[in-house]
């Protein structure tokens, strides 16, 4: 077995652990079993460790950090999501329950990653600058933060609907859930700002223009504006709770549309990185 | 009165939201409606013929050039004014306030913790200090303290919005004054730097002339590939000569543009081979022409081109195989598959392979394939607003981090004794995240229990 195959096997094992962890999260909610919730955290952690090994192997094989093609970009995004989730679960045990949303979403992104071509991509000259690395890393961090934000929003909507259930009483209060969604949305906004800005500087160095109104970069600006809109309506119009949660879900859908779907349908200079 | 109304309207939340929505709509239109910057004029002619009403609607609202449309530029101008005035007010407010506690009830909260042991004020003071809080100089009593953290947090919003203001301002600068030109330089040739010698120019609405005070000579173009056909390295070695006679040798690659005398030079991804031919006419006149062929995405694929040969009645259609070990018909040399036809009659006069340094006879003329060189595409730009943009970018990021990562936090604590217990009450207020802040403060106070 060559190293690339071993890396692929390790990544599939990590995906398997995430899957089992996700199933256990669902089980813990359906049967209100707290023990299963703890076990699912351990499984997610084991998956994260294997995933880290796979990414390190990938880095070793290709000779460059793992974010230059679809297979790598989505894999790194899942890794950051699970890492953020682990940190959150460790610092705020009550919030571990959002794993019921995080794990399926992460698995979905992982499935997109695994559907990509795992053959090692060679770096083109335009990918040599530091700004590309900042752009790609902050993009992965945005994915992680926004998946957590949408996870907290979905749990908020669920709890808001069925507050009478005993199980939901164990969850953090609606205010705290709402605020975590806000916090993660704010972090998404920070990382997204870094992504857009570093992308603009990188484009200026590589192509002589910092903004060319290319569909993908325009969509990234749309998503940034959507997050700005969310933050503004929260601040000015005191949008909280369900309304804010739904708007945040819409922001998340916008980023998914821009990063995952648009490159498939629209010709763009960015398309090559998502194939 | 009227001015006050205008001022109030400029900084009203409704205006902000409206401007964001206009900007969002423009972006969506830019992606979905075909833009004149992307499509050829014939595309719009066909559109006009096929669907006149839609075409009229789109052109009247300037949706086919949305980013330069009057309404979009107007909205951006309004954004600039609104942001500018809002920044002035924010700065004035921040400078006038001792701290940045917000007046909204949602950002405040009360909590109290009962300690079963005696708690001294110093314990509270030390505990909060350990958590990174500072104590204000104005204590409301011996046992009452006001702690605060992240006092810079109040400037986050101002810094972020200043960054956005500068980026928009620099975009207006670029729109008005930027200069941009593209040239194809053949290896060994010199670009004069004159305005008229650029192949393509893109000037701002107030920019007149783009002439450089130096010449650019291409010494060498290097392009290397991976096995997968993907380009590995692309660089031009150039010689720059200014009017004072100073000469310098520089290397430009896509990730390393060159800055010289306020002009930035970029390596373009347009490059290729130059085929040089000479036609010796029957009357002895010699005409030399260079054809620049664009490199293809597959390194082994032939480079193609079709063009007329100036001052002759011939049209050349070329298929050039540069790679010696690739798909060339001829194993040891690069070769061109050439089709020559007459402009008027369209008759094919030659159709076959031609090697470098070889000649063929076409009617009464003699055509010689005199050489193969390479050409490189270079982009020259001058944008006075670029430094402003970079400064704006930096402020956006710093502002966002300060605003959302380090919001201002304030805790007022008081100690009361009741039935032998110590009750510590805290009054918290913050710029953001009051519920989690309240939880954090409770966690801190519970360490005293």
């Amino acid at each position: 077995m060559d190293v690339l195959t071993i890396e692929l096997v390790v990544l599939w094992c990590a995906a398997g652990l995430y899957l089992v962890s996700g199933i256990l999260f669902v089980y813990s909610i359906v049967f209100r079993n707290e023990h299963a919730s703890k076990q699912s955290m351990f499984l997610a952690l084991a998956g994260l460790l294997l995933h880290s090994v796979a990414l390190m192997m990938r880095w070793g094989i290709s000779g460059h950090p793992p974010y230059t093609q679809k297979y790598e970009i989505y894999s790194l995004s899942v890794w950051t999501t699970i890492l953020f989730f682990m940190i959150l679960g460790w610092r705020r045990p009550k919030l571990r329950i959002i794993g019921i949303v995080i794990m399926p979403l992460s698995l979905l992104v992982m499935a997109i990653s695994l559907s990509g071509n795992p053959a090692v991509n060679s770096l083109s000259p335009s990918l040599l600058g530091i700004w590309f690395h900042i752009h790609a890393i902050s993009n992965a961090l945005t994915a992680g933060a926004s998946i957590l934000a949408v996870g907290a929003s979905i749990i908020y909507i669920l709890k808001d609907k069925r507050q009478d259930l005993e199980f939901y009483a164990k969850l953090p209060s609606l205010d705290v859930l709402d605020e975590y969604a806000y916090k993660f949305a704010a972090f998404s906004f920070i990382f997204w700002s870094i992504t857009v800005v570093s992308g603009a500087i990188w484009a200026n160095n590589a192509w002589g223009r910092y903004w060319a109104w290319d569909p993908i970069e325009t969509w990234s600006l749309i998503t940034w504006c959507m997050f700005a809109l969310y933050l503004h309506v929260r601040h000015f119009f005191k949008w909280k709770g369900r309304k804010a949660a739904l708007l945040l879900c819409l922001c998340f859908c916008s980023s998914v549309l821009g990063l995952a779907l648009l490159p498939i349908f629209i010709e763009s200079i960015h398309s090559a990185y998502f194939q | 009165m009227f001015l006050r109304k205008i001022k109030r309207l400029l900084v009203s939340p409704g205006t902000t939201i409206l401007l964001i929505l206009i900007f969002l709509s423009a972006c969506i239109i830019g992606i979905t409606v075909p833009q004149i910057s992307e499509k050829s004029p014939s595309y719009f002619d066909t559109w006009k013929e096929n669907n006149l009403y839609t075409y009229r609607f789109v052109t009247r609202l300037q949706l086919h050039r949305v980013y330069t449309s009057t309404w979009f530029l107007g909205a951006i101008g309004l954004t600039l004014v609104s942001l500018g005035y809002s920044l002035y007010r924010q700065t004035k407010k921040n400078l006038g306030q001792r701290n940045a506690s917000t007046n909204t009830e949602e950002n405040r909260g009360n909590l109290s913790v009962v300690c079963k042991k005696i708690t001294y004020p110093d314990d509270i003071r030390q505990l909060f200090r350990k958590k990174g809080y500072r104590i204000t100089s104005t204590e409301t009593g011996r046992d009452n303290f006001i702690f605060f953290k992240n006092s810079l947090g109040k400037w986050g919003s101002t810094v972020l919005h200043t960054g956005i203001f500068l980026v928009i301002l620099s975009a207006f600068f670029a729109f008005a004054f930027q200069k941009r030109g593209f040239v194809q330089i053949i290896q060994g040739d010199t670009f004069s730097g004159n305005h008229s010698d650029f192949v393509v120019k893109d000037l701002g609405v107030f920019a007149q002339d783009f002439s450089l005070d130096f010449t650019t000579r291409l010494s060498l173009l290097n392009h290397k590939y991976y096995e997968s056909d993907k380009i590995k390295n692309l660089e031009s070695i150039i010689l720059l000569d200014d009017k004072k006679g100073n000469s310098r040798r520089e290397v430009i690659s896509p990730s390393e543009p060159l800055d010289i005398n306020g002009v930035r030079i970029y390596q373009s991804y347009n490059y290729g081979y130059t085929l040089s031919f000479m036609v010796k006419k029957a009357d002895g006149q010699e005409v030399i022409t260079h054809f620049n062929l664009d490199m293809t995405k597959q390194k082994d694929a032939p480079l193609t081109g079709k063009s007329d040969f100036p001052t002759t009645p011939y049209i050349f259609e070329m298929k050039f195989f540069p790679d010696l070990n690739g798909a060339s018909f001829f194993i040891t040399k690069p070769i061109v598959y050439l089709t020559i036809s007459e402009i008027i009659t369209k008759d094919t006069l030659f159709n076959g392979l031609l090697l470098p340094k070889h000649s063929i006879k076409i009617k009464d003329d003699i055509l010689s394939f005199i050489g193969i060189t390479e050409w490189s595409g270079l982009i020259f730009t001058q944008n006075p607003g670029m430094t402003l943009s970079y400064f704006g970018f930096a402020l956006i990021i710093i502002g966002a981090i300060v605003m959302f990562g380090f919001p201002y936090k304030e805790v007022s604590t008081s100690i009361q004794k009741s039935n032998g217990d110590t009750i510590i009450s805290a009054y918290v207020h913050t710029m953001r995240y009051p519920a989690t802040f309240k939880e954090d403060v409770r966690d801190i106070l519970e360490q005293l229990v």
Side-chain angles (χ1 to χ4, degrees):
Chain A
M1 253 200 314
D2 61 358
V3 194
L4 197 66
T5 317
I6 297 170
E7 181 258 333
L8 204 60
V9 170
V10 174
L11 194 64
W12 272 99
C13 289
L17 285 170
Y18 291 153
L19 177 70
V20 180
S21 164
I23 293 169
L24 268 177
F25 266 119
V26 176
Y27 174 84
S28 73
I29 286 221
V30 174
F31 296 99
R32 291 157 206 177
N33 185 330
E34 265 188 64
H35 185 62
S37 165
K38 270 182 196 165
Q39 282 177 332
S40 55
M41 283 299 284
F42 277 116
L43 282 174
L45 181 66
L48 182 72
L49 291 175
L50 276 186
H51 198 163
S52 311
V53 172
L55 286 173
M56 295 299 278
M57 286 174 80
R58 182 88 192 164
W59 195 332
I61 300 162
S62 64
H64 55 75
Y67 41 67
T68 62
Q69 62 195 93
K70 184 169 127 180
Y71 174 80
E72 297 171 347
I73 293 167
Y74 290 115
S75 173
L76 188 68
S77 299
V78 172
W79 186 82
T80 52
T81 308
I82 305 289
L83 180 71
F84 280 172
F85 174 54
M86 286 291 124
I87 295 169
L88 180 75
W90 169 57
R91 293 199 60 182
R92 304 270 173 185
K94 270 185 163 185
L95 279 169
R96 283 176 190 167
I97 201 66
I98 65 168
I100 193 170
V101 181
I102 304 300
M103 298 316 289
L105 276 176
S106 302
L107 270 168
L108 192 70
V109 181
M110 194 74 156
I112 301 172
S113 164
L114 289 167
S115 71
N117 183 2
V120 172
N121 202 0
S122 33
L123 282 185
S124 70
S126 62
L127 301 183
L128 294 175
I130 181 76
W131 292 106
F132 164 68
H133 297 288
I134 297 173
H135 179 69
I137 292 168
S138 54
N139 184 50
L141 294 172
T142 310
S146 52
I147 289 178
L148 285 195
V150 85
S153 291
I154 292 173
I155 293 290
Y156 178 95
I157 294 167
L158 290 175
K159 185 174 175 172
D160 188 37
K161 226 175 182 180
R162 300 296 305 270
Q163 282 193 64
D164 50 318
L165 280 182
E166 189 196 337
F167 180 78
Y168 286 119
K170 289 177 189 167
L171 294 179
S173 68
L174 281 173
D175 275 353
V176 170
L177 276 173
D178 179 56
E179 207 165 275
Y180 266 101
Y182 177 36
K183 231 176 197 181
F184 284 117
F187 281 117
S188 296
F189 181 73
I190 295 172
F191 294 132
W192 199 239
S193 304
I194 299 173
T195 306
V196 173
V197 162
S198 55
I201 297 173
W202 168 40
N204 190 49
N205 285 348
W207 301 310
R209 273 182 200 278
Y210 72 88
W211 202 262
W213 297 109
D214 169 77
I216 307 275
E217 67 187 31
T218 307
W219 201 271
S220 75
L221 192 63
I222 289 174
T223 307
W224 188 82
C225 285
M226 296 267 296
F227 274 101
L229 191 75
Y230 168 81
L231 297 171
H232 274 95
V233 293
R234 271 199 84 110
H235 185 72
F236 287 131
F237 298 113
K238 311 295 168 212
W239 273 32
K240 282 182 86 178
R242 197 178 164 77
K243 260 199 297 189
L246 288 172
L247 181 61
L248 190 54
C249 291
L250 196 68
C251 294
F252 179 73
C253 290
S254 165
S255 60
V256 171
L257 187 70
L259 289 175
L261 300 175
L262 218 60
I264 302 170
F265 301 112
I266 292 181
E267 186 71 17
S268 154
I269 44 173
H270 288 77
S271 300
Y273 304 115
F274 297 95
Q275 273 147 29
Chain B
M1 189 71 179
F2 179 70
L3 198 67
R4 199 180 294 166
K5 256 188 184 173
I6 296 272
K7 278 180 180 175
R8 203 181 303 146
L9 198 70
L10 272 179
V11 289
S12 80
T15 310
T16 310
I17 301 297
L18 182 73
L19 288 170
I20 294 177
L21 288 174
I22 291 176
F23 192 73
L24 275 174
S25 316
C27 289
I28 292 169
I29 291 167
I31 291 175
T32 49
V33 176
Q35 298 292 298
I36 47 170
S37 53
E38 294 160 3
K39 304 277 181 188
S40 66
S42 61
Y43 177 89
F44 290 95
D45 292 339
T46 319
W47 188 3
K48 194 178 175 182
E49 277 171 27
N50 294 341
N51 202 334
L52 185 64
Y53 293 108
T54 327
Y55 178 80
R56 269 191 193 156
F57 175 77
V58 165
T59 48
R60 277 194 191 151
L61 289 176
Q62 301 171 329
L63 304 183
H64 63 318
R65 53 178 190 90
V66 67
Y67 304 118
T68 52
S69 65
T70 325
W71 61 268
F72 180 72
L73 291 175
I76 297 294
L78 186 64
T79 308
L80 213 53
V81 177
S82 165
L83 263 175
Y85 184 56
S86 165
L87 283 171
Y88 163 73
R89 278 171 45 118
Q90 271 186 41
T91 311
K92 211 171 138 186
K93 189 178 155 195
N94 286 346
L95 289 173
Q97 269 182 343
R98 185 179 55 84
N99 56 46
S101 54
T102 53
N103 294 321
T104 50
E105 277 310 308
E106 316 64 317
N107 290 344
R108 292 160 181 264
N110 280 312
L111 56 98
S112 58
V113 172
V114 180
C115 295
K116 293 285 179 194
K117 59 176 184 182
I118 300 164
T119 307
Y120 297 103
D122 269 356
D123 295 342
I124 299 175
R125 203 198 293 232
Q126 273 175 10
L127 191 61
F128 273 95
R129 274 193 182 153
K130 221 166 107 183
K131 297 286 175 187
Y133 286 83
R134 285 193 289 160
I135 193 161
T136 55
S137 53
T138 52
E139 294 175 14
T140 53
R142 205 177 69 82
D143 296 345
N144 300 339
F145 304 111
I146 300 173
F147 300 98
F148 71 96
K149 200 177 183 179
N150 306 335
S151 57
L152 276 178
K154 64 179 176 178
W155 286 100
S157 169
T158 317
V159 173
L160 169 69
H161 289 97
T162 307
I164 296 173
F165 181 83
L166 292 181
V167 170
I168 297 175
L169 198 66
S170 73
F172 268 110
F173 263 116
F175 180 67
F177 303 111
Q178 77 148 6
K179 295 171 182 177
R180 190 182 163 86
F182 171 78
V183 283
Q184 295 177 320
I185 310 180
I186 298 169
Q187 210 167 286
D189 256 13
T190 303
F191 166 57
S192 66
N194 291 335
H195 177 82
S196 54
D197 288 345
F198 281 108
V199 179
V200 182
K201 284 185 289 281
D202 179 11
L203 302 180
V205 283
F206 299 120
Q208 298 287 320
D209 175 80
F210 189 22
S211 291
L212 310 173
D213 56 1
F214 57 87
T215 60
T216 311
R217 181 185 170 84
L218 179 69
S219 298
L220 191 69
L221 171 76
N222 282 323
H223 49 112
K224 290 184 182 126
Y225 299 85
Y226 292 105
E227 281 179 13
S228 59
D229 274 355
K230 203 169 181 180
I231 187 146
K232 185 180 183 180
N233 185 30
L234 174 66
E235 60 181 27
S236 293
I237 300 169
I238 54 170
L239 280 172
L240 302 161
D241 291 302
D242 65 17
K243 283 172 183 167
K244 291 174 192 161
N246 301 319
S247 186
R248 57 194 266 201
R249 184 180 176 276
E250 296 287 350
V251 180
I252 303 179
S253 67
S255 55
E256 282 173 33
L258 172 73
D259 289 304
I260 174 171
N261 301 351
V263 175
R264 195 166 238 218
I265 312 174
Y266 295 92
Q267 173 65 58
S268 160
Y269 275 98
N270 293 96
Y271 62 98
Y273 285 92
T274 304
L275 307 186
S276 303
F277 295 93
M278 184 178 77
V279 168
K280 191 172 184 183
K281 293 183 181 174
D283 59 4
Q285 190 196 352
E286 290 177 348
V287 183
I288 295 174
T289 291
H290 309 285
F291 294 102
N292 287 343
L293 303 183
D294 287 324
M295 202 68 190
T296 53
K297 280 185 181 168
Q298 287 82 37
K299 69 171 190 276
D300 289 337
L303 285 74
T304 56
K306 189 177 180 181
S307 176
D308 60 325
F309 199 113
T311 75
T312 71
Y314 310 129
I315 292 180
F316 275 43
E317 197 172 341
M318 294 152 281
K319 201 183 251 187
F320 176 62
F321 297 85
D323 191 351
L324 308 187
N325 304 311
S328 171
F329 290 117
F330 203 83
I331 303 300
T332 54
K333 283 177 185 171
I335 199 163
V336 65
Y337 188 91
L338 186 65
T339 306
I340 303 172
S341 50
E342 205 161 20
I343 292 175
I344 301 165
T345 60
K346 310 277 183 209
D347 290 343
T348 303
L349 303 171
F350 177 80
N351 189 21
L353 295 166
L354 189 59
L355 293 170
K357 309 288 178 199
H358 281 64
S359 302
I360 50 166
K361 197 162 189 298
I362 316 164
K363 292 167 91 178
D364 295 332
D365 303 334
I366 293 169
L367 171 81
S368 306
F369 184 6
I370 56 175
I372 303 164
T373 43
E374 285 167 300
W375 66 270
S376 176
L378 296 181
I379 301 164
F380 295 77
T381 67
Q382 204 170 34
N383 186 352
M386 212 51 231
T387 317
L388 207 60
S389 304
Y390 276 36
F391 189 54
F393 288 157
L395 290 185
I396 289 175
I397 289 165
I398 294 168
I401 292 172
V402 171
M403 190 173 169
F404 297 109
F406 303 95
Y408 179 80
K409 293 172 179 177
E410 196 177 283
V411 190
S412 315
T413 58
S414 60
I415 301 172
Q416 287 170 323
K417 302 269 186 323
S418 168
N419 300 331
D421 293 338
T422 311
I423 301 167
I424 307 165
S425 302
Y427 180 68
V428 298
H429 54 148
T430 177
M431 299 280 277
R432 323 223 165 243
Y433 327 126
T436 43
F437 178 43
K438 207 170 156 183
E439 276 201 349
D440 289 343
V441 173
R442 186 185 296 280
D443 288 346
I444 294 173
L445 293 180
E446 276 176 355
Q447 287 181 30
L448 293 165
V449 175

